[in-house]
Amino acid sequence: MIEQNLAIKTADGVLDTFVCQPDEGGPHPLVIIYMDAPGIRQELRDMASRLASVGYVVALPNLYYRVGTEGNYGYDLSKIRTDDSHQQKMHDCRLSLTNAGIVADTQSMLGPLRALDGVAQGPIGCIGYCMSGQFVVAVAAALGDDVAAIASFYGVGIVSDAPDSPHLQADKVRADSYLAFASDDPWVPANVLETLPGVIDKTGWRARIEVYPNTSHGFAFPARADYSRAAGERHWARIFALLARNLKREAGA
């Protein structure tokens, strides 16, 4: 496996991005993993490496780059569940992000990432966790045919009252989309699951919704107390299938 850290220039600064890819074969399709609220950490890099091991170039951008680099966001990740001040600082970082900002960041990433050796020059895949569920939908709507597949896991903000709520742009999404939710998730209001089927029917959005039984928010992360091995492995199976049918076909693999 080849691993590197890229410094990608954006309109707002330098976006530090972890990239891993197979050390042979290729070219391989590009997939971007969008982090959850706690930020970049080894757990996410391990997940990126697992995905890369089955034939993808995987980028993991630090979405909080406007605030700081990994470990320098102003809060201690080990204290966010026990110290309200650290939890508040994490939420402040999360609230500093916007759909438009993440779309712009993604557009800034595409050129440098596609310029890397071994990257297939076709559409990309996007995977979002937690706060980034809304971002992958917004990115797919904005980038059109440049995004062939998106997956959201316990995504927050996909449906909201905000004027830029991603579900309002569902008719622009061309990507094959997979939206997975936990059965018990206080961060995802009930109206989200009530609204999405109607959005899909009205717009023709090619999206599948799945609720994982007996799970809580964070079920895919091995280091989380809410981790479920069965749900975590199902999440990987769904990702592998989604990307294989949409990206490897495009790359001629």
Side-chain angles (χ1 to χ4, degrees):
M1 192 72 64
I2 300 172
E3 298 183 354
Q4 59 182 309
N5 291 292
L6 298 183
I8 298 174
K9 292 183 179 180
T10 76
D12 294 327
V14 178
L15 172 55
D16 46 308
T17 303
F18 171 75
V19 180
C20 56
Q21 62 191 99
D23 57 6
E24 60 184 7
H28 301 289
L30 174 64
V31 179
I32 301 175
I33 293 179
Y34 296 76
M35 68 194 204
D36 59 338
I40 299 300
R41 55 196 186 278
Q42 186 59 44
E43 181 178 33
L44 287 179
R45 286 192 291 271
D46 290 343
M47 293 172 73
S49 295
R50 178 170 178 177
L51 182 54
S53 72
V54 296
Y56 299 96
V57 178
V58 183
L60 176 65
N62 169 28
L63 303 183
Y64 292 157
Y65 73 95
R66 296 173 181 85
V67 176
T69 55
E70 177 183 353
N72 295 296
Y73 302 138
Y75 59 85
D76 185 334
L77 191 56
S78 68
K79 298 179 180 179
I80 60 172
R81 293 189 179 276
T82 58
D83 187 316
D84 289 346
S85 66
H86 286 269
Q87 186 175 89
Q88 184 59 53
K89 288 178 181 178
M90 182 191 74
H91 288 309
D92 289 344
C93 287
R94 176 179 63 84
L95 294 172
S96 72
L97 302 179
T98 64
N99 292 325
I102 300 301
V103 168
D105 290 343
T106 302
Q107 291 170 325
S108 295
M109 283 189 275
L110 288 184
L113 290 173
R114 284 174 165 161
L116 296 174
D117 289 341
V119 176
Q121 299 303 302
I124 70 170
C126 299
I127 302 171
Y129 296 91
C130 180
M131 69 174 185
S132 291
Q134 63 187 314
F135 299 150
V136 297
V137 178
V139 166
L143 272 60
D145 290 334
D146 249 347
V147 182
I150 62 171
S152 163
F153 293 92
Y154 31 88
V156 174
I158 297 174
V159 175
S160 75
D161 294 330
D164 67 341
S165 178
H167 82 284
L168 299 175
Q169 302 296 316
D171 61 314
K172 298 178 181 178
V173 177
R174 300 291 175 264
D176 189 357
S177 306
Y178 176 71
L179 311 175
F181 297 93
S183 59
D184 180 15
D185 192 341
W187 296 101
V188 179
N191 74 293
V192 172
L193 290 174
E194 294 168 356
T195 301
L196 281 173
V199 172
I200 291 170
D201 289 343
K202 180 179 179 180
T203 63
W205 182 13
R206 198 159 40 111
R208 175 188 178 186
I209 299 170
E210 185 172 18
V211 178
Y212 287 33
N214 304 312
T215 57
S216 303
H217 191 90
F219 63 73
F221 294 122
R224 294 278 287 272
D226 296 312
Y227 174 65
S228 163
R229 186 177 186 280
E233 290 306 308
R234 178 190 294 189
H235 129 277
W236 281 117
R238 298 293 192 260
I239 288 174
F240 294 154
L242 175 75
L243 297 182
R245 69 175 176 263
N246 289 287
L247 296 187
K248 290 199 171 180
R249 179 184 59 192
E250 295 285 346

